[in-house]
Amino acid sequence: MKVLVTGGAGYIGSMVCIELLNEGHDVFIVDNFSNSEMGTITKIMGITGKMVQYANVDITDRTALEVIFRSYQFDSVIHLAGKKSVSESIENPLQYYYDNLIGTVMLVQLMQQYDVQSIIFSSSATVYHPASICPIQETATLKSSSPYGRTKLAIENFFRELTAAHSNFSVVLLRYFNPIGAHSSGEMGEKPLEVPNNLLPYLMDAVSGKRPILEVFGNDYDTVDGSGVRDFIHVEDLAKGHIKALYYSMQNTGCEAFNLGSGTGYSVLQLIDTFAKVNEIDVPYHIGLRREGDIPVSFADISKAQRFLGWRPNKTLEEMCIDAWRWQLKLLKEQHVEAQIVFPSKKTV
Ligand code: UFG
């Protein structure tokens, strides 16, 4: 199949491209490289030994996007391009609604115009009501607490209405939980160019001395050890879910949502402990206050994805931590900052 991947140079998008290429599909990447690097495209080709076409295009640039649609007949679109920081979305909702919503609407306009009937959309567990009972099922009440989350929810609603009106259209909504880890080759992983927002980038910055210490946001939740509980999923497992979703989309019309998580909740402190153990390195942290807007516990019921997509995650929390740190070490070496690793570690880095 010929698949257009928007945001294909990003952390998750690049892993999706590798899986697509490994499965023998043709990939065309559209990315504006605002939070990714062109070098990632070379890495994708290096890892897979396959050619990739790409364009430096913002999905809100309808004219540039149309040139691509006019030139290639895609079988499906995997749509990951968009902004993804909760805190930034509170400061700049206009940008979030414009990029995420308008970008998606323009993309779908072109899909209709050029007769592309299938799309896999990168949604998020943030669409679920903060008080949802875990494990969260796809049928849980939807209500997001940030502008970012509400753009995802608005796009989901848009797709539901679109498929109700156009019965040939197929939309798969993939609700990601907490993707972490890196490619098992050690060659690719998360490299946030913008200020990182998530736990793992902060943890690795603390370990490598880029920031003094990791702050654990609260240890007074009603959880196993008081820290927040999340559903961490290896980014490679997550990427494989997109391929299964693509095949599902080829066989089914309508709009269907699936959780992509590991199905297991681990606490922040358990993650820190696992990371330290498997990598034989100290993680400097202290307990801080709760972060505003955080929910205590979030983990997925993944039985729907298992049943309908035939997908199940394979990688353990240990593997996520090993792969994440292996990638971070490579990055540090590239950036020549080994000398800055100041915190006492048992292993020589
Ligand atoms: N945390 C810390 N210290 C940090 C960063 C995070 O203790 O420096 C904690 C948080 O309090 C939370 C857990 O680590 O308990 C995970 O936090 P993340 O910021 O990594 O992830 P969230 O679960 O808050 O948010 C993620 C995505 C969002 C998405 C949401 C969906 O980042 O984009 O999952 O549930 F909306």
Side-chain angles (χ1 to χ4, degrees):
M1 275 184 267
K2 188 148 192 78
V3 184
L4 175 69
V5 184
T6 74
Y11 171 49
I12 298 169
S14 56
M15 309 283 167
V16 171
C17 291
I18 289 177
E19 297 299 332
L20 283 169
L21 292 163
N22 284 343
E23 286 272 304
H25 302 295
D26 287 336
V27 172
F28 194 111
I29 293 174
V30 161
D31 205 298
N32 69 0
F33 299 98
S34 61
N35 196 25
S36 59
E37 291 180 337
M38 291 229 185
T40 303
I41 311 258
T42 320
K43 284 184 181 171
I44 294 171
M45 294 196 279
I47 290 170
T48 59
K50 307 255 174 74
M51 284 300 291
V52 170
Q53 289 170 295
Y54 75 96
N56 183 349
V57 161
D58 192 302
I59 53 160
T60 59
D61 183 348
R62 199 182 186 287
T63 312
L65 203 55
E66 179 156 14
V67 173
I68 299 164
F69 271 90
R70 209 183 298 128
S71 312
Y72 301 92
Q73 183 58 49
F74 297 113
D75 298 293
S76 183
V77 176
I78 300 185
H79 176 34
L80 302 106
K83 299 196 74 69
K84 61 171 186 177
S85 158
V86 171
S87 56
E88 195 186 39
S89 77
I90 295 165
E91 284 155 26
N92 196 350
L94 179 61
Q95 191 71 52
Y96 272 68
Y97 276 84
Y98 189 76
D99 284 8
N100 293 2
L101 260 177
I102 306 295
T104 304
V105 169
M106 284 185 186
L107 182 67
V108 172
Q109 273 182 338
L110 288 168
M111 287 176 65
Q112 283 206 329
Q113 200 174 323
Y114 290 90
D115 201 27
V116 185
Q117 312 262 5
S118 149
I119 184 164
I120 316 302
F121 174 61
S122 135
S123 188
S124 164
T126 195
V127 297
Y128 291 119
H129 193 293
S132 297
I133 293 164
C134 292
I136 304 174
Q137 295 184 331
E138 288 83 352
T139 47
T141 306
L142 303 179
K143 184 181 190 303
S144 192
S145 49
S146 72
Y148 158 71
R150 284 187 285 273
T151 65
K152 292 287 181 192
L153 203 46
I155 295 167
E156 285 204 1
N157 288 333
F158 161 62
F159 278 131
R160 267 184 285 274
E161 286 168 14
L162 195 80
T163 47
H166 303 280
S167 57
N168 286 339
F169 215 71
S170 172
V171 181
V172 180
L173 311 170
L174 296 179
R175 295 181 182 151
Y176 307 159
F177 279 70
N178 292 62
I180 61 168
H183 195 260
S184 44
S185 66
E187 294 299 317
M188 257 173 46
E190 190 166 18
K191 190 177 179 185
L193 301 180
E194 296 161 354
V195 181
N197 281 287
N198 300 111
L199 177 59
L200 245 280
Y202 275 127
L203 184 157
M204 290 192 293
D205 277 2
V207 174
S208 52
K210 283 190 191 167
R211 66 179 63 234
I213 202 158
L214 169 71
E215 183 172 350
V216 173
F217 296 141
N219 69 345
D220 56 353
Y221 289 111
D222 185 14
T223 62
V224 59
D225 53 26
S227 64
V229 166
R230 291 292 183 274
D231 184 331
F232 301 103
I233 172 155
H234 196 293
V235 66
E236 270 186 21
D237 277 334
L238 187 86
K240 289 190 167 83
H242 292 70
I243 313 305
K244 298 287 189 183
L246 175 67
Y247 298 152
Y248 175 90
S249 174
M250 290 296 125
Q251 305 290 329
N252 296 276
T253 54
C255 182
E256 211 60 58
F258 297 95
N259 288 338
L260 293 186
S262 69
T264 307
Y266 286 103
S267 76
V268 172
L269 290 173
Q270 284 172 331
L271 177 79
I272 293 173
D273 189 47
T274 306
F275 190 95
K277 265 199 200 111
V278 296
N279 293 312
E280 296 176 33
I281 198 156
D282 292 308
V283 178
Y285 72 87
H286 73 97
I287 307 293
L289 296 173
R290 289 182 180 193
R291 181 172 64 179
E292 206 191 320
D294 269 354
I295 51 172
V297 179
S298 164
F299 61 95
D301 181 329
I302 55 169
S303 54
K304 187 177 173 191
Q306 287 177 331
R307 188 161 157 225
F308 290 96
L309 303 183
W311 168 84
R312 66 176 62 240
N314 290 313
K315 304 236 180 197
T316 62
L317 190 67
E318 284 77 11
E319 288 171 292
M320 300 178 211
C321 292
I322 290 169
D323 288 345
W325 184 234
R326 188 195 295 120
W327 162 243
Q328 184 69 15
L329 286 179
K330 185 172 165 51
L331 263 185
L332 289 169
K333 284 198 179 110
E334 276 174 15
Q335 295 161 356
H336 304 293
V337 293
E338 292 99 324
Q340 289 179 24
I341 299 184
V342 290
F343 214 82
S345 67
K346 293 170 210 148
K347 208 183 213 177
T348 318
V349 186

